[in-house]
Amino acid sequence: MNERRGHVEVARDAVARGERTAESITRAALDAIARQEPSLAAFTAVSAEQALTQAAAVDAARARGAALGPLAGVPVAVKDNICTKGVPTTAGSKILAGFVPPYNATVIERLAAAGAVIVGKTNCDEFAMGSSTENSAFGPTANPWSLAHAPGGSSGGSAATVAARAVPASLGSDTGGSIRQPAAFCGIVGLKPTYGRVSRYGLLAYASSLDQIGPFTTTAEDAAIVLDVIAGRDPHDATSADQPAPVVDAATTRDMQGLRIGVPRAFIEGVDAAVERAFAAALDAWRALGATIVDIALPNVSLAIPVYYLIATAEASSNLARYDGVRYGYRATLSPQDTLRTMYERSRDEGFGAEVKRRIMLGTYVLSAGYYDAYYLKAQQVRAALRDSYAAALATVDLIATPTTPTPAFRLGEKVADPLQMYLADIFTVSANLVGLPAISLPCGMSPDRLPIGCQLTARMWDEATLVRAGAAYQAASDWHLMTPALAGA
Ligand code: GLN
């Protein structure tokens, strides 16, 4: 029988029915990770012992007849910019080498309360700044479909390990596309929730007005299951909202009757030919399921990349000021005559990588007196105009569709020397962060050289349900999410 359910559902149901123990599922995940790490390098830390203890607790709860949580016995990997008590958290940076958080992020507490088994921390671009995971101080992660290609970024490790079927789900963070772009490059589902849907408490901040945590899974329904666990108001994060989130119910509709999908044609012109074909076929599939497809305009959307790189770097320059060699992680080796200032300078110089420094400088520049109005303020004005563009469009359609990325995965090394080219990989993803809207990437095709292609849907504020409905309907009618890289079985 062809298993169409997602891996989260399969694992959870097997544990709930007593067909498998949480321990055996966890051991299988740990074995797969160990087998794949030499090729993928998706993890910065594997917490096998903690995972087996969590799994044993789930099995004991079941034996007692206790109620099981919605993720009981499901192994989950977590991006290494999310704080895990007792497990090193580096955000891919040398400056946090040796940092072991004394507390859990709220999402970790919620995963644990739902019975999830956290197997380890995944590699990412340093402080989530990048689109390829090559900016990690611990070396790059490979794409499971082709080890010579980038898995995307910045949550590359989280995407690669789910794509390689080692774990059913993982968490990433998305500031400008860091969940959706690697999901597209690796052929899986990635969901960026509405800004405020998920608590950011314990997420190492990159750009606080844009950051959101969200799931990677193989199906839209699985993404909803994980989202429902991690979502909701948290007193530790003032921007978290109290929005009821039974998103998963939307997955059962399996049709698109009455839904309108808008396509900003002018904006997506010029994408790679295979991406264009796959995107057109996905639109046909939704039309066949009952959706109406219409052309829309999105004024100012072509300015999203510069606006994003002004606002994100400005916020980053402020957020990263706390890494001064005093309180966390790395401190430069000093001689007795060195001053405090030298300690700050050398610790930051030696601790941060090149891309992080580039962004701190850019962000400091755009916030500085004399330039603030010309750059930062201007960017905020365009951001407001962009919000209006999306609001106007979403008054006439329920969803906006674009490819997730203009091309399939690029080669490792291909863009490292050219930051601007790297930034352009985010052209279709940064807007959702700037305007706060939820968006999902779904696998919708393969390039001629067998690299996955993703399609992105954006919905109204708090309307993750429609993303999941459209995703589940599409996945009931397509097989792209069932394809696995050869490495998964190896
Ligand atoms: N690639 C984008 C950047 O480099 C987005 C990163 C992210 O979403 N964390 O900033």
Side-chain angles (χ1 to χ4, degrees), residues 64-153:
R64 278 199 311 276
L68 295 181
L71 291 175
V74 178
V76 176
V78 175
K79 187 177 183 180
D80 201 31
N81 61 351
I82 296 174
C83 285
T84 42
K85 186 175 178 175
V87 180
T89 300
T90 66
S93 183
K94 184 178 166 189
I95 210 158
L96 279 174
F99 174 62
V100 180
Y103 72 104
N104 277 325
T106 296
V107 291
I108 300 296
E109 292 288 331
R110 291 191 177 174
L111 285 179
V117 173
I118 295 167
V119 294
K121 305 301 291 293
T122 56
N123 196 23
C124 56
D125 286 301
E126 185 174 6
F127 287 104
M129 297 176 185
S131 307
S132 67
T133 316
E134 292 168 289
N135 294 336
S136 168
F138 308 104
T141 293
N143 187 316
W145 290 91
S146 157
L147 300 180
H149 285 78

Side-chain angles (χ1 to χ4, degrees), residues 34 80 95 116 151 160 167 212 306 339 362 412 414 418 439 450 460 490:
D80 201 31
I95 210 158
V167 292
Q212 268 294 286
T339 61
L362 193 58
L412 287 166
E414 189 179 321
D418 189 345
R450 277 187 71 78
R460 300 186 187 105

Side-chain angles (χ1 to χ4, degrees), residues 8-61:
V8 170
E9 271 190 88
V10 168
R12 179 187 73 177
D13 293 353
V15 172
R17 293 188 191 125
E19 292 158 10
R20 290 187 71 182
T21 61
E23 189 195 325
S24 75
I25 290 176
T26 301
R27 283 195 193 281
L30 292 170
D31 287 350
I33 292 167
R35 211 166 48 234
Q36 294 168 355
E37 270 307 272
S39 324
L40 290 184
F43 284 79
T44 50
V46 177
S47 43
E49 215 171 291
Q50 263 196 22
L52 290 167
T53 306
Q54 285 176 324
V58 170
D59 290 331

Side-chain angles (χ1 to χ4, degrees), residues 261-270 276 279-280 283-284 287 293-298 401-402 428:
I261 301 181
V263 180
R265 293 277 172 205
F267 182 41
I268 62 182
E269 224 166 73
E276 191 178 340
F279 178 67
L283 293 179
D284 287 343
R287 194 181 288 111
I293 315 286
V294 297
D295 287 1
I296 55 164
L298 276 178
T402 65
F428 299 131

Side-chain angles (χ1 to χ4, degrees), residues 128-131 154 174-178 206 308-309 359 426:
M129 297 176 185
S131 307
S154 63
D174 190 313
T175 304
S178 278
Y206 160 16
Y308 169 82
Y309 277 95
R359 295 192 188 197
D426 306 327

